[in-house]
C-alpha cells in the first residue's frame, strides 16, 4: 500500500450542520457522538420495506405492477444468457486509445442485470431468482475493482494500467456498487443468507475493504471538496456511502464505526449544500442536476428517514431553490437548455420520482407538476437503468406511482445570477414562439465549455440556434487536451471570434458588466465579452434581447473599432440545427427539428456570410441533432457594430422546407 494518509481536516460546519444542530440541540462537532441514538436500527434505516413485506412485494402488492412486470420479463430473458464479463483488455484500452465505453457498457449491463434479478427475487422469492441474485452478487464481489477505469489512479500511483486490488480507489463506480449491494442486502439479505449462508459476510467484507476503509483512511479524495471545488461526485458518492453504512455496518461492534462513517458523509454533503448557490443553479447544467443536486436531495431524504425525521434539511433555502432548477431549464417536451457537457435532449428516463418526492418535501407545486408531466399513464414508475436504489424507491412510492400526468409549468422568465443564465419566453405556460436563453459566467465551470456570452434560441421550444453539447466521453474529455475537442471550443459556440482569437479556458476568462433586464415587454442580457479572450483589451459589448410583443430576438454586438490585424478576421458565429437554406439578401431560413416553426435570421447588408457544415459521427451528438449541424459565420472584420435578428419566418412553412 503506497497511499499517503493526510492529516485529517478539521470538521466542516456549514449550513447543513447548522440546521441539524438547531433541530437536535447537538453542539458544534457533536454529531458523531449523537448519531448512535438518532439512527434507526440497520434493518429499519432505509425507506423501502424488505421482501418479506408481501403487502408491498407480493402478487397484488402496492409496488408498481407495471414496472415489476416489465422487469420480470427482462429478468426471464436474462436467464438464457451468460452474465456480462468486463475484460481486463477493455479496461487497459483506456490507456491505448482513450476508449471508456468498451469496459463501462459491459460492467453497467452486469449491474443492471443484477438489479433485475434482485427485483424478480423480491417479487417471487423463488429459488431460481435467488440463485440469479447470488451469481450477480458473487460476480460483483469477485470483480477486481469497482472503480471505473477512467477514474482509477493506478497508473499514476503504481504504474499499472489495471486496478491495484490492494489500493482500491473510491469513485462513482465503487459508490454505485456498494450502494447496490446495500439495497440488495436490505430487501433480500435474510432470504439470501437462509439459502446461501455466508453471502452477507462476503458483502460486508468487500464493502469494508473497498469503501469504508478507504473512505475513512484517506481524506484527500478530490470529490470531498476540501479545496472548495465541490462538484456532482460529492453527493453521488457520499449518498451511496451513507446507504451502505446505514445498512451494512450492523454487527454488534459496528455502532461507533457506523456513526463515524455517517458523520463523515453528512460533513461531505454539507460541503456540497453550503456551496450550492442561493438560486439553486447548477453550473454543469440540467443534465448534471440528476447526479448532483438530486443525489444530495435523495441522500438527505434517506437520512431524514433513518433518524425518524430528527435531521430534516427540506427548508434549507438553496435546496428548496434547486428543486426548481429542472423546470426552469425546460424548453419544451424533451428539450432543455443545455450547458457544459449536457445534452439538449437528454434521455427521457430520468428518476422523475426523486424530483417529485423532493418537490413534495419542499412544497413546490411547479416542480411536482414538471415531474408529473413525465409520468405517462400506463408507463412504469422507474426502470433498472436508474440504479437499484432509485428503482426500489420509485416503485414503492405510492404517491409517485399514482401521480397523474400534468402540464409542464414553463415559467416566462428565469434569471440565475450565480451562473449568469437568463431564459425568457413570450408568455408563461407555453412554448409557442421564440424562447431565448443566454449566459455570461466564466470558463472554469464544471464540465466547462468555452462559451462565455453564448446564447440559444428555440422555436416552439425546439432549439434552432444551439449548443452542440458533447460527444462520447473518452480519456481526452477530462485530460489536458480537452479543448482540442471541437464541441468544447468557443469557435463552435454562438460567440464571436475576435481578431482571430477564440476564448481561453480558465476562471480568468469571464464576462464582466453583466446586466439582466426583465420587463413585461422584453427580457435581455448584456455583458462585456472581451475578458474571455486572450489578448483582447478593448470592450466587446453583447446584448441579446427577446422582444415579447414583436416575437423577435436580437443579438447586438458593438466594439470600439474594427481593430483586427490583417489576416486575423473577426466573425460572429451561430450554430444551427435543422434544415438551413440561404434566403434573399442577408437572410437565411432554418426549418427546425420536430416540426417547429421555421425561423428567419437576418444581418446587416454588406456583411459577408458563410455556412460551414459539421457532419456528426458520434451518437451522443447525432441522436440529438441528426446527421449534421451548420455554422453561420458572419465576417464583421470591418465593422464595429452589428445587429442580428431572429424571427419566425412568415413564408409558407412548406416552401421553407
Amino acid at each position: 500500500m503506497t497511499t499517503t494518509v493526510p492529516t485529517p481536516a478539521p470538521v466542516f460546519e456549514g449550513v447543513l450542520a447548522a440546521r441539524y444542530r438547531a433541530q437536535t440541540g447537538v453542539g458544534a462537532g457533536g454529531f458523531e457522538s449523537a448519531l448512535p441514538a438518532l439512527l434507526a436500527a440497520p434493518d429499519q434505516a432505509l425507506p423501502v420495506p424488505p421482501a418479506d413485506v408481501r403487502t408491498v412485494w407480493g402478487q397484488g402488492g402496492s409496488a408498481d405492477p407495471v414496472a415489476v412486470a416489465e422487469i420480470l420479463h427482462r429478468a426471464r430473458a436474462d436467464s438464457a444468457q451468460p452474465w456480462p464479463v468486463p475484460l481486463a483488455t477493455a479496461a487497459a484500452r483506456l490507456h491505448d486509445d482513450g476508449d471508456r465505453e468498451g469496459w463501462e457498457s459491459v460492467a453497467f449491463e452486469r449491474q443492471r442485470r443484477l438489479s433485475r434479478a434482485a427485483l424478480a427475487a423480491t417479487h417471487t422469492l423463488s429459488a431460481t431468482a435467488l440463485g440469479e441474485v447470488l451469481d450477480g452478487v458473487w460476480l460483483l464481489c469477485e470483480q477486481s475493482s469497482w472503480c471505473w477505469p477512467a477514474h482509477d489512479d493506478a497508473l499514476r500511483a503504481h504504474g499499472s494500467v489495471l486496478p491495484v486490488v490492494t489500493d482500491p480507489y473510491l469513485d462513482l463506480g465503487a459508490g454505485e456498487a456498494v450502494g447496490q449491494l446495500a439495497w440488495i442486502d436490505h430487501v433480500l439479505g435474510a432470504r439470501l443468507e437462509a439459502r446461501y449462508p455466508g453471502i452477507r459476510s462476503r458483502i460486508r467484507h468487500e464493502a469494508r475493504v473497498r469503501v469504508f476503509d478507504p473512505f475513512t483512511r484517506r481524506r484527500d479524495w478530490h470529490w470531498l471538496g476540501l479545496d472548495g471545488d465541490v462538484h456532482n461526485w460529492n453527493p453521488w458518492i457520499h449518498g451511496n456511502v451513507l446507504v451502505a453504512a446505514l445498512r451494512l455496518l450492523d454487527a454488534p461492534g459496528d455502532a461507533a464505526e457506523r456513526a463515524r462513517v455517517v458523520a463523515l458523509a453528512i460533513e461531505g454533503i454539507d460541503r456540497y449544500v453550503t456551496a450550492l448557490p442561493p438560486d439553486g443553479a447548477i453550473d454543469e447544467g440540467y443534465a448534471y442536476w440528476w447526479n448532483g443536486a438530486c443525489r444530495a436531495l435523495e441522500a438527505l431524504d434517506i437520512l431524514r428517514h433513518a433518524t425518524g425525521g430528527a435531521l430534516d434539511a427540506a427548508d434549507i433555502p438553496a435546496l428548496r431553490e434547486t428543486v426548481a432548477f429542472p423546470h426552469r431549464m425546460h424548453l419544451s417536451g424533451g428539450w432543455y437548455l443545455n450547458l457544459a457537457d449536457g445534452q439538449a435532449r437528454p434521455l427521457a428516463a430520468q428518476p422523475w420520482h426523486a424530483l417529485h418526492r423532493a418537490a413534495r418535501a419542499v412544497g413546490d407545486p411547479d416542480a411536482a407538476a414538471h415531474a408529473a408531466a413525465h409520468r405517462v399513464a400506463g408507463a412504469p414508475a422507474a426502470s433498472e437503468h436508474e440504479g437499484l436504489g432509485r428503482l426500489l424507491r420509485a416503485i414503492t412510492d405510492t404517491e409517485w406511482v399514482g401521480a397523474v400526468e400534468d402540464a409542464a409549468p414553463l415559467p416566462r422568465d428565469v434569471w440565475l445570477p450565480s451562473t449568469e443564465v437568463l431564459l425568457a419566453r413570450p408568455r408563461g405556460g407555453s412554448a409557442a414562439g421564440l424562447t431565448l436563453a443566454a449566459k455570461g459566467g466564466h470558463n472554469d465551470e464544471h464540465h466547462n465549455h468555452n462559451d462565455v456570452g453564448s446564447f440559444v434560441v428555440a422555436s416552439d421550444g425546439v432549439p434552432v440556434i444551439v449548443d452542440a453539447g458533447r460527444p462520447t466521453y473518452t480519456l481526452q474529455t477530462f485530460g489536458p487536451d480537452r479543448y482540442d475537442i471541437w464541441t468544447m471550443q468557443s469557435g463552435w459556440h454562438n460567440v464571436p471570434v475576435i481578431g482571430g482569437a477564440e476564448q481561453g479556458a480558465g476562471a480568468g476568462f469571464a464576462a464582466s458588466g453583466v446586466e439582466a433586464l426583465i420587463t413585461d415587454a422584453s427580457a435581455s442580457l448584456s455583458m462585456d465579452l472581451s475578458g474571455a479572450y486572450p489578448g483582447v483589451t478593448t470592450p466587446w459589448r453583447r446584448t441579446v434581447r427577446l422582444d415579447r410583443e414583436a416575437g423577435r430576438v436580437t443579438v447586438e454586438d458593438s466594439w470600439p473599432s474594427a481593430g483586427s490585424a490583417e489576416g486575423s478576421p473577426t466573425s460572429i458565429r451561430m450554430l444551427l440545427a435543422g434544415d438551413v437554406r440561404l434566403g434573399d439578401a442577408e437572410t437565411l431560413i432554418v426549418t427546425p427539428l420536430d416540426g417547429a416553426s421555421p425561423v428567419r435570421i437576418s444581418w446587416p447588408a454588406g456583411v459577408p456570410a458563410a455556412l460551414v457544415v459539421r457532419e456528426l459521427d458520434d451518437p451522443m451528438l447525432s441522436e440529438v441533432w441528426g446527421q449534421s449541424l451548420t455554422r453561420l459565420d458572419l465576417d464583421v472584420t470591418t465593422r464595429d457594430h452589428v445587429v442580428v435578428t431572429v424571427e419566425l419566418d412568415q413564408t409558407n412553412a412548406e416552401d421553407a422546407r
Side-chain angles (χ1 to χ4, degrees):
M1 187 82 61
T2 60
T3 302
T4 300
V5 182
T7 301
V11 173
F12 179 78
E13 297 280 352
V15 297
L16 188 59
R19 184 55 46 91
Y20 287 169
R21 286 201 307 273
Q23 290 171 346
T24 63
V26 174
F31 282 116
E32 187 174 338
S33 60
L35 280 171
L38 292 174
L39 294 176
D43 62 351
Q44 299 172 12
L46 299 184
V48 170
D52 287 339
V53 181
R54 304 312 289 164
T55 55
V56 174
W57 294 115
Q59 191 69 31
S62 60
D64 177 37
V66 178
V68 171
E70 289 204 3
I71 293 172
L72 284 175
H73 175 74
R74 292 194 286 275
R76 284 191 290 269
D78 288 338
S79 62
Q81 303 296 325
W83 278 85
V85 178
L87 298 175
T89 51
R93 180 181 172 184
L94 177 80
H95 301 286
D96 291 333
D97 61 8
D99 181 270
R100 299 170 50 141
E101 291 292 306
W103 188 93
E104 289 181 0
S105 61
V106 177
F108 294 175
E109 178 50 32
R110 180 151 83 176
Q111 288 185 250
R112 287 192 290 265
R113 176 168 172 171
L114 178 54
S115 292
R116 293 191 290 269
L119 185 62
T122 301
H123 180 67
T124 67
L125 298 180
S126 73
T128 300
L130 286 169
E132 178 84 349
V133 175
L134 175 70
D135 283 341
V137 168
W138 195 259
L139 284 168
L140 193 55
C141 289
E142 289 287 297
Q143 190 172 300
S144 293
S145 175
W146 292 342
C147 175
W148 299 342
H151 300 158
D152 207 331
D153 67 350
L155 183 63
R156 177 188 60 79
H158 302 283
S160 174
V161 298
L162 296 173
V164 175
V165 296
T166 55
D167 192 12
Y169 193 88
L170 180 50
D171 77 323
L172 301 176
E176 282 292 282
V178 79
Q180 183 178 34
L181 291 175
W183 285 108
I184 289 172
D185 188 89
H186 177 68
V187 294
L188 285 169
R191 292 277 179 163
L192 284 169
E193 187 69 16
R195 185 167 181 82
Y196 305 107
I199 187 59
R200 298 186 90 178
S201 65
R202 177 66 189 276
I203 289 172
R204 283 154 178 75
H205 169 76
E206 299 298 342
R208 183 177 301 282
V209 170
R210 300 172 188 249
V211 175
F212 298 141
D213 286 350
F215 180 64
T216 56
R217 184 183 69 248
R218 282 186 62 174
R219 303 308 294 162
D220 63 341
W221 302 107
H222 71 86
W223 43 265
L224 294 178
L226 301 181
D227 60 356
D229 181 22
V230 189
H231 50 79
N232 71 309
W233 281 39
N234 176 299
W236 192 346
I237 297 174
H238 280 113
N240 276 312
V241 171
L242 175 68
V243 166
L246 288 172
R247 187 63 193 89
L248 300 179
L249 291 173
D250 59 354
D254 284 348
E257 183 182 7
R258 186 175 186 240
R260 172 65 174 155
V261 175
V262 170
L264 286 174
I266 292 173
E267 179 188 330
I269 296 172
D270 196 2
R271 292 182 185 277
Y272 182 87
V273 173
T274 300
L276 199 64
D279 57 21
I282 305 300
D283 63 356
E284 296 161 299
Y286 161 81
Y288 287 87
W289 183 89
W290 296 104
N291 283 322
C294 186
R295 295 280 184 178
L297 292 164
E298 290 173 284
L300 295 174
D301 184 56
I302 286 173
L303 187 62
R304 180 201 57 76
H305 171 86
T307 60
L311 301 182
D312 188 349
D315 60 350
I316 291 177
L319 289 176
R320 295 176 62 88
E321 289 298 315
T322 203
V323 171
F325 184 72
H327 74 259
R328 288 171 174 167
M329 295 294 98
H330 190 206
L331 295 174
S332 74
W335 294 100
Y336 287 79
L337 173 62
N338 61 311
L339 304 173
D341 278 347
Q343 289 180 292
R345 185 157 53 183
L347 293 174
Q350 303 292 351
W352 296 106
H353 59 91
L355 173 59
H356 195 260
R357 195 177 308 114
R360 298 188 326 246
V362 304
D364 187 333
D366 283 346
H370 179 62
H374 296 80
R375 182 73 181 96
V376 180
S383 81
E384 70 275 22
H385 287 262
E386 301 174 10
L388 181 58
R390 283 176 160 177
L391 170 63
L392 295 174
R393 293 222 65 190
I395 64 178
T396 58
D397 182 344
T398 54
E399 288 192 61
W400 171 247
V401 172
V404 178
E405 187 174 354
D406 206 341
L410 299 176
R412 191 191 74 172
D413 299 294
V414 175
W415 168 238
L416 301 173
S418 69
T419 53
E420 298 177 349
V421 169
L422 171 76
L423 187 148
R425 46 177 56 92
R427 64 197 65 83
S430 172
L434 296 182
T435 296
L436 169 67
K439 73 178 296 289
H442 59 83
N443 281 336
D444 193 31
E445 295 162 341
H446 295 116
H447 290 262
N448 180 70
H449 291 196
N450 290 339
D451 61 354
V452 171
S454 193
F455 66 97
V456 166
V457 176
S459 172
D460 301 334
V462 178
V464 58
I465 302 178
V466 308
D467 185 312
R470 55 95 173 172
T472 301
Y473 282 156
T474 67
L475 187 64
Q476 180 186 7
T477 309
F478 300 105
D481 300 325
R482 174 179 176 86
Y483 294 99
D484 289 344
I485 301 171
W486 68 271
T487 61
M488 317 296 183
Q489 300 166 357
S490 70
W492 287 94
H493 284 82
N494 306 315
V495 298
V497 173
I498 303 177
E502 295 189 16
Q503 293 184 9
F509 297 99
S512 61
V514 179
E515 298 175 356
L517 179 62
I518 298 172
T519 69
D520 288 342
S522 66
S524 65
L525 188 66
S526 179
M527 71 199 83
D528 179 8
L529 303 184
S530 60
Y533 294 81
V536 175
T537 58
T538 56
W540 183 293
R541 195 75 189 175
R542 162 164 284 189
T543 301
V544 290
R545 177 181 289 105
L546 170 67
D547 184 327
R548 302 188 215 274
E549 297 174 357
R552 178 187 303 122
V553 169
T554 56
V555 182
E556 181 176 6
D557 289 292
S558 59
W559 56 103
S561 64
S564 295
E566 185 177 352
S568 300
T570 293
S571 63
I572 293 171
R573 295 181 173 181
M574 299 181 191
L575 193 61
L576 312 174
D579 180 64
V580 181
R581 64 181 180 89
L582 289 171
D584 298 332
E586 283 75 19
T587 65
L588 60 76
I589 309 298
V590 185
T591 303
L593 305 172
D594 290 357
S597 301
V599 165
R600 177 183 295 270
I601 302 175
S602 306
W603 55 90
V607 172
L611 297 179
V612 179
V613 176
R614 183 88 195 201
E615 301 294 335
L616 304 178
D617 57 3
D618 187 296
M620 287 294 295
L621 298 170
S622 60
E623 288 175 3
V624 176
W625 305 117
Q627 297 308 304
S628 64
L629 290 168
T630 303
R631 193 180 73 197
L632 169 64
D633 291 1
L634 301 177
D635 188 340
V636 296
T637 305
T638 62
R639 304 283 181 133
D640 59 10
H641 178 261
V642 170
V643 178
V644 177
T645 301
V646 185
E647 302 172 282
L648 294 179
D649 183 44
Q650 300 303 314
T651 61
N652 182 278
E654 290 302 316
D655 291 343
R657 293 175 194 275

